[in-house]
């Protein structure tokens, strides 16, 4: 919808293009995305419940996994309900305020996950490279500060980018070439200068895609060096086992997010943007619980206790 405001037209709602260019696949996509959404919610809720009610999992590694599961729920729940609605009615509109709210919560969760993956890499570094000082380096108070810092920093970053987007003029057209409100397609619709927005996006990219990713690489450089120096093959296997799940998630998540954001807005491709969007809004939150549980005996044991408790 476009309304007249102070001698110029202003967009009051957007149309989410979604997957309207492929109407023949709507039922199939709806079933697939609904199934993935249910699995993502179930898997992450189970991880939260297992960690909460099992004292043996009250360690830094699982504390951060608890936070990651929470962020996954926020990320996918900010996007999927509206996407599923669009597939059902084949034309989805979203108010300007609703679009900005979706943008805020999605970017908050997405950036928080990236930053948390760095914190989890540091946790693995401390556990493997400094096992004797691990309890001191990763004290309960320090872990709480790290987690709170992730939430606050990313909430602030999301608020800045969302606020700058709200200041733009949208005069029409109002069709977002995506299945949710994301910064690149929104900037393409603006009829005012997006220079400041692009500068802030570049700074955020430098932090999350540069410094953040560099810290993960450095942490794993030290980790691999320490593992190679271990004399015990059993110790090497255990160390690789504790790191492999996190490393798989880092590679999968960062590849999709970097492709979507570490690129100029002018080079944005709607088709590729939707494909990558599916990866980090629903596929990653679905796979994360599976990766961490299938490769972790402690989590699987805790989940068995949860199932037995509810059965009794």
């Amino acid at each position: 919808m476009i309304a007249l405001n102070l001698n110029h037209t202003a967009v009051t709602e957007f149309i989410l293009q979604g997957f309207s260019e492929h109407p023949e696949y709507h039922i199939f996509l709806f079933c697939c995305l609904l199934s993935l959404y249910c699995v993502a919610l179930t898997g992450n809720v189970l991880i939260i419940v297992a960690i909460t009610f099992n004292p043996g999992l009250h360690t830094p590694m699982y504390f951060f996994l608890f936070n990651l599961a929470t962020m996954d729920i926020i990320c996918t729940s900010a996007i999927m309900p509206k996407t599923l609605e669009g597939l059902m009615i084949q034309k989805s509109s979203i108010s300007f305020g609703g679009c900005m709210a979706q943008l805020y919560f999605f970017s908050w969760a997405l950036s928080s996950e990236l930053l948390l993956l760095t914190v989890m890499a540091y946790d693995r570094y401390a556990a493997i490279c400094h096992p004797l000082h691990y309890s001191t380096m990763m004290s309960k108070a320090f872990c709480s500060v790290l987690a709170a810092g992730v939430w606050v920093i990313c909430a602030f970053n999301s608020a800045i980018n969302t606020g700058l987007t709200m200041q733009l003029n949208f005069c029409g057209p109002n069709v977002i070439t995506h299945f949710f409100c994301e910064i690149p397609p929104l900037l393409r619709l603006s009829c005012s200068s997006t220079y400041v927005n692009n500068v802030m996006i570049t700074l955020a990219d430098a932090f999350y895609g540069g410094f953040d990713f560099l810290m993960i690489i450095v942490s794993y450089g030290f980790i691999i060096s320490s593992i190679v120096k271990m004399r015990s093959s059993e110790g090497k296997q255990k160390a690789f086992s504790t790191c492999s799940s996190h490393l798989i998630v880092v590679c999968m998540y960062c590849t999709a997010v970097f492709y979507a954001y570490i690129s100029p807005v002018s080079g944005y491709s709607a088709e590729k943007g939707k494909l990558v969007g599916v990866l980090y809004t629903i596929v990653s939150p679905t796979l994360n619980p599976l990766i961490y549980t299938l490769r972790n005996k402690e989590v699987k044991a805790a989940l068995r206790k949860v199932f037995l408790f509810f059965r009794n």
Side-chain angles (χ1 to χ4, degrees):
M1 184 180 293
I2 301 176
L4 190 65
N5 182 24
L6 297 178
N7 297 324
H8 70 274
T9 54
V11 171
T12 59
E13 70 174 20
F14 294 101
I15 304 298
L16 295 171
Q17 185 186 69
F19 304 95
S20 58
E21 66 270 36
H22 302 293
E24 67 275 15
Y25 298 125
H26 276 196
I27 296 178
F28 173 74
L29 286 171
F30 178 85
C31 293
C32 287
L33 293 180
L34 179 61
S35 299
L36 289 172
Y37 183 44
C38 291
V39 172
L41 287 181
T42 303
N44 285 292
V45 167
L46 284 175
I47 283 183
I48 290 172
V49 171
I51 294 173
T52 300
F53 294 101
N54 193 313
L57 298 183
H58 292 179
T59 62
M61 182 174 71
Y62 295 111
F63 172 70
F64 295 128
L65 181 57
F66 176 97
N67 279 267
L68 183 66
T70 304
M71 294 169 187
D72 276 337
I73 292 174
I74 295 174
C75 180
T76 191
S77 295
I79 305 301
M80 279 301 113
K82 196 67 179 176
T83 301
L84 293 171
E85 176 192 333
L87 287 170
M88 285 294 293
I89 64 177
Q90 299 186 7
K91 184 179 180 181
S92 180
S93 62
I94 185 170
S95 67
F96 183 87
C99 184
M100 294 302 107
Q102 189 181 69
L103 174 63
Y104 175 80
F105 284 106
F106 164 72
S107 58
W108 181 27
L110 186 69
S111 57
S112 295
E113 291 196 41
L114 287 171
L115 196 54
L116 187 64
L117 290 175
T118 304
V119 173
M120 293 173 77
Y122 175 76
D123 172 67
R124 293 299 82 206
Y125 158 77
I128 294 173
C129 300
H130 303 281
L132 298 179
H133 304 285
Y134 178 69
S135 58
T136 304
M137 293 175 66
M138 301 302 293
S139 65
K140 186 176 181 179
F142 183 60
C143 290
S144 298
V145 169
L146 285 176
V150 168
W151 285 97
V152 171
I153 290 172
C154 296
F156 183 65
N157 170 69
S158 182
I160 291 176
N161 283 295
T162 303
L164 289 173
T165 304
M166 292 177 68
Q167 297 301 312
L168 297 175
N169 292 323
F170 296 94
C171 310
N174 65 335
V175 178
I176 298 176
T177 56
H178 214 308
F179 59 89
F180 66 95
C181 292
E182 194 176 26
I183 291 178
L186 276 170
L187 295 186
R188 290 170 66 88
L189 295 179
S190 174
C191 55
S192 57
S193 173
T194 59
Y195 175 77
V196 177
N197 301 72
N198 287 321
V199 169
M200 292 307 300
I201 291 173
T202 301
L203 292 175
D205 288 347
F207 178 71
Y208 292 108
F211 174 77
D212 203 35
F213 188 65
L214 179 62
M215 291 301 294
I216 294 177
I217 296 297
V218 170
S219 296
Y220 271 97
F222 284 113
I223 288 171
I224 294 172
S225 177
S226 295
I227 292 175
V228 170
K229 293 176 182 178
M230 291 180 181
R231 296 180 179 180
S232 169
S233 58
E234 184 180 347
K236 289 182 179 180
Q237 185 178 359
K238 184 178 180 180
F240 272 119
S241 178
T242 58
C243 295
S244 58
S245 297
H246 178 254
L247 201 54
I248 291 171
V249 171
V250 168
C251 293
M252 177 181 63
Y253 208 85
C254 289
T255 299
V257 174
F258 288 176
Y259 179 86
Y261 287 94
I262 313 299
S263 59
V265 174
S266 59
Y268 174 78
S269 168
E271 287 293 328
K272 292 180 180 179
K274 291 177 188 178
L275 176 61
V276 176
V278 168
L279 292 178
Y280 59 72
T281 60
I282 188 63
V283 175
S284 289
T286 302
L287 292 179
N288 285 354
L290 297 176
I291 292 171
Y292 280 109
T293 55
L294 293 177
R295 302 178 63 86
N296 193 303
K297 294 179 181 179
E298 292 176 321
V299 176
K300 285 191 286 187
L303 288 175
R304 278 195 293 269
K305 291 181 181 178
V306 171
F307 288 132
L308 289 174
F309 174 80
F310 283 108
R311 283 183 61 183
N312 297 329

